[in-house]
Amino acid sequence: MSHDPSLTPANEIAGDSDASSETFFQRNQVLLATRAADALNVGREAEARARDAGDGLGIVRALLLQGMAQDALGHAERDATLALALQQAEAIGEPVTLIRAVNSQIVVDIHRGRYADALWRGQSMLGMAHALRRNDLLLRLTMNLGTALGLIGEHELAISMFNECLGLLAGDDAGVRQQRVRIVNNMAWAWLGVARAAAEERPDGALAALASAKQLAQQACDGALAEAHGALRAGSLDTLVGVLLEMGEEAEALTWVEKVERQSEAMLQPHTIAWGTSTLARCRVEVAHADVDLAAVERRLREIEALPGSRFRTGELHASLCLCLSEVLSRLGQHQEALRYHRQWMQFEARTQSLLAREHAMAVHRTMESLWGETEEFITHDLRNPLGAALVQIDSITPRMLDERSQAPLGDARRHVRQAFETADHYLAIVRARNLRRASLSMVDLAELVDDVGERLAPPASAAVRLERDVEWGLEIRGDRISLLMALDQLLRMALNGTPPGGTVNWTLRADQAYAVLAVEGGAMAWAPHGAWRAFAATGSGDRRDMASAMLTRVAQLHDSRIEPVSGLADGARIEWRFPLVE
């Protein structure tokens, strides 16, 4: 018989509070699964040690462990802890820890009903996880994506995601076996969703889906009983009971409840989340029988209702609890209170349907927006490249190669192709900035970019316009290098082109408290009025001045920065761009 770690004294499975290593989570896995309160203490100790050592990554890892432990314990502080972990992970930008933090935030989004946000977060991290070749990170992302898809009603897509998860598993240690049980259990839940969706239109399909759900749920429950993990057993039992009750097989459901309780007595400690989940499953089964001690069922339901945390006050567990209490109280003759709980259940169902419709629409909109953005970027690239090639060919023709009558049309052709090329450049920058998300930003040396653009566009000494540059080094921001280069290039070109012969353009970068301030000062600059970006985004049209200003405005929005003229747009105009510095 295998040893049950949940029965091991805490000091024998004490967690490791050194969060300086990537293996921190693996070292605390058993503690988190069996003694969440001890894991929370380890996380707090690890955070204190990391702060003393100035270890930013260690602080994030410690916060993530605390958030996971608070989640297992049902503590309301979980959301704030995980939000702080994500904020600090984004500031550091280390890919593995960032993906872990985003994954934890996805769990919060799912619990809060923000399914479209969960899908967007997961999709934004998939490419990075693939690039890192980290199956463990891919597994959690894919599993969370499948859960969010199932919750917005895309059950068949969810099943395909869970199948992908199974393909990412390797090995046969306890962690892998438990993940396999979770995935199979999630697949059973998704098949139950398929059955419910098909119940009216395709009864035969619904029966087949229920049969698949039952087979998978039983497999998950059997697998959970082989593992020393109380929460895993309770969650698998909850899914199986739901499937069996849907099929009208109350007797078999009761058999499974008794089997799990008998084999899990030491793991389902009273007044824990796992105990509440398994006890609620028993109550659901008992309420389905006519001959039952209703007073005893009510007492257990009241104990579940009194559990701390939000697990039984929101979501499906809350709905099941309200429905059970409504049925029990009605049969006990307490009709007024029964009606109150029934109303709570109906309100939950109404809110859920409204929420799912909204979240489904948001998810579809974001997916279409992403696909459209990728298409726009592809088309713009295809337009820009031949224009660039045409410019090279035109510029290779010297005046001596043409007679006098041909030189003017060639000059017009060069001007029109260059304008088209610049328009494609502006539009490509807008599309790139619109499709980028803040999670994709990384550390950028702004001083280096500003100096590079100034060096590249500086007019020769013999030119009619001079460029004066003054750059303060060491100013770092979170940004996208490519879109920033395109925007800085456009801003400086605007100043150089608007400055009359004999004039000077000043191109400066300075720190101002928590900001880096880029200033360009010169002649008249073609700056579109406030709101050009919104107008351009709504219509997709506008002159070249509007498009350039729209691109600059959108890039500024992406970087949480502010760009605006601080003096008139006549001669001597000055435009400042303020970026928040990385601490």
Side-chain angles (χ1 to χ4, degrees):
M1 185 174 180
S2 62
H3 177 61
D4 181 352
S6 69
L7 303 179
T8 306
N11 61 348
E12 292 183 27
I13 55 167
D16 189 340
S17 61
D18 178 11
S20 61
S21 168
E22 164 63 18
T23 61
F24 174 69
F25 295 106
Q26 286 81 354
R27 298 196 306 269
N28 288 291
Q29 189 174 30
V30 173
L31 189 69
L32 183 62
T34 58
R35 297 184 185 277
D38 292 333
L40 180 58
N41 291 331
V42 168
R44 287 169 176 161
E45 183 181 340
E47 182 188 358
R49 291 178 60 174
R51 289 193 184 280
D52 289 343
D55 179 7
L57 281 177
I59 293 170
V60 176
R61 293 186 185 114
L63 287 170
L64 288 174
L65 179 63
Q66 290 177 56
M68 294 174 195
Q70 287 165 344
D71 180 57
L73 294 167
H75 288 183
E77 297 88 350
R78 176 202 65 178
D79 291 10
T81 302
L82 294 178
L84 179 60
L86 178 58
Q87 180 185 357
Q88 298 198 14
E90 287 177 337
I92 295 169
E94 195 277 319
V96 172
T97 306
L98 178 59
I99 293 173
R100 288 189 187 279
V102 169
N103 242 328
S104 296
Q105 194 60 47
I106 290 172
V107 173
V108 174
D109 286 337
I110 289 173
H111 285 170
R112 293 292 182 186
R114 301 189 293 255
Y115 308 130
D117 288 346
L119 286 168
W120 169 72
R121 286 186 203 274
Q123 289 167 343
S124 70
M125 290 288 109
L126 276 176
M128 189 185 296
H130 275 292
L132 292 170
R133 300 181 184 275
R134 287 288 300 265
N135 280 2
D136 57 330
L137 301 176
L138 268 174
L139 176 64
R140 292 185 180 278
L141 278 172
T142 308
M143 199 158 162
N144 284 330
L145 284 170
T147 301
L149 283 167
L151 286 166
I152 64 170
E154 295 291 347
H155 305 294
E156 293 181 2
L157 279 175
I159 290 167
S160 69
M161 298 295 280
F162 296 140
N163 271 317
E164 283 187 36
C165 290
L166 290 174
L168 292 169
L169 288 174
D172 194 40
D173 59 35
V176 171
R177 293 194 305 271
Q178 290 167 14
Q179 284 284 46
R180 187 173 289 111
V181 169
R182 290 188 184 94
I183 296 167
V184 172
N185 187 56
N186 283 355
M187 289 179 72
W189 163 77
W191 275 113
L192 179 58
V194 171
R196 286 171 173 167
E200 292 185 7
E201 297 181 4
R202 295 182 293 115
D204 291 344
L207 289 174
L210 277 175
S212 297
K214 178 180 177 180
Q215 180 184 1
L216 290 165
Q218 288 177 332
Q219 181 183 335
C221 222
D222 278 329
L225 287 173
E227 301 299 323
H229 198 306
L232 194 65
R233 296 186 181 192
S236 301
L237 177 64
D238 180 66
T239 301
L240 180 54
V241 164
V243 172
L244 293 173
L245 291 179
E246 190 80 18
M247 300 177 77
E249 298 179 2
E250 293 87 356
E252 187 172 356
L254 185 58
T255 300
W256 273 100
V257 167
E258 291 171 344
K259 178 180 179 180
V260 171
E261 287 180 346
R262 189 168 56 250
Q263 296 186 33
S264 311
E265 186 177 353
M267 277 174 262
L268 301 176
Q269 295 294 321
H271 307 113
T272 62
I273 299 297
W275 170 85
T277 304
S278 63
T279 302
L280 181 56
R282 167 177 275 281
C283 292
R284 290 167 63 195
V285 174
E286 290 180 341
V287 167
H289 287 78
D291 185 19
V292 62
D293 184 349
L294 292 171
V297 174
E298 184 195 359
R299 280 196 303 274
R300 288 198 296 272
L301 291 171
R302 297 294 189 188
E303 289 177 17
I304 297 169
E305 188 180 30
L307 287 175
S310 59
R311 283 297 181 89
F312 296 96
R313 291 184 173 84
T314 59
E316 293 288 341
L317 289 175
H318 172 68
S320 295
L321 180 62
C322 287
L323 197 58
C324 261
L325 274 167
S326 173
E327 176 68 19
V328 169
L329 291 169
S330 178
R331 287 163 63 178
L332 286 171
Q334 301 176 35
H335 301 298
Q336 188 171 354
E337 193 170 6
L339 182 60
R340 181 169 67 86
Y341 280 104
H342 189 72
R343 281 176 179 159
Q344 287 187 41
W345 174 78
M346 290 182 67
Q347 288 168 359
F348 171 82
E349 289 292 302
R351 283 197 306 269
T352 299
Q353 293 306 313
S354 174
L355 171 68
L356 292 187
R358 180 175 66 84
E359 291 293 317
H360 191 275
M362 284 179 61
V364 170
H365 173 74
R366 278 185 168 164
T367 301
M368 294 303 296
E369 187 182 55
S370 176
L371 290 173
W372 176 242
E374 290 171 10
T375 304
E376 282 181 316
E377 196 164 340
F378 178 75
I379 292 172
T380 311
H381 266 299
D382 275 11
L383 175 64
R384 183 180 181 275
N385 290 342
L387 285 171
L391 267 179
V392 172
Q393 294 297 319
I394 292 173
D395 288 340
S396 68
I397 302 173
T398 63
R400 289 177 298 176
M401 299 169 64
L402 301 171
D403 58 46
E404 191 171 336
R405 287 186 308 167
S406 302
Q407 289 179 13
L410 179 65
D412 289 341
R414 178 185 288 112
R415 186 174 66 257
H416 291 316
V417 172
R418 178 163 295 282
Q419 285 179 355
F421 182 78
E422 289 177 357
T423 299
D425 242 4
H426 294 155
Y427 194 67
L428 179 60
I430 290 172
V431 170
R432 178 177 178 82
R434 189 172 63 199
N435 293 337
L436 277 169
R437 297 291 181 262
R438 285 179 174 81
S440 306
L441 304 183
S442 57
M443 293 284 287
V444 173
D445 187 330
L446 182 61
E448 180 187 336
L449 296 189
V450 169
D451 186 65
D452 179 58
V453 170
E455 179 75 23
R456 188 157 36 82
L457 297 185
S462 59
V465 176
R466 292 190 308 119
L467 176 64
E468 296 288 342
R469 292 180 288 150
D470 187 6
V471 176
E472 180 176 338
W473 293 94
L475 303 183
E476 291 189 323
I477 65 170
R478 281 185 54 76
D480 175 66
R481 184 181 180 84
I482 295 175
S483 61
L484 279 171
L485 277 171
M486 298 173 87
L488 294 173
D489 183 280
Q490 175 59 37
L491 185 60
L492 186 52
R493 284 182 190 275
M494 284 170 53
L496 291 170
N497 293 338
T499 300
T504 300
V505 173
N506 293 302
W507 182 245
T508 62
L509 180 69
R510 281 277 177 270
D512 181 12
Q513 297 181 1
Y515 293 89
V517 181
L518 171 67
V520 56
E521 189 171 5
M525 284 182 257
W527 181 259
H530 182 68
W533 159 246
R534 289 193 296 275
F536 181 84
T539 63
S541 63
D543 61 24
R544 293 174 65 242
R545 181 192 72 163
D546 289 339
M547 188 176 287
S549 298
M551 181 264 283
L552 285 164
T553 306
R554 176 56 185 147
V555 174
Q557 288 173 348
L558 173 69
H559 292 81
D560 291 325
S561 57
R562 190 172 73 253
I563 181 170
E564 58 188 7
V566 295
S567 65
L569 295 180
D571 291 348
R574 177 184 174 91
I575 290 177
E576 287 187 355
W577 195 345
R578 300 178 69 86
F579 296 87
L581 287 167
V582 172
E583 293 182 3

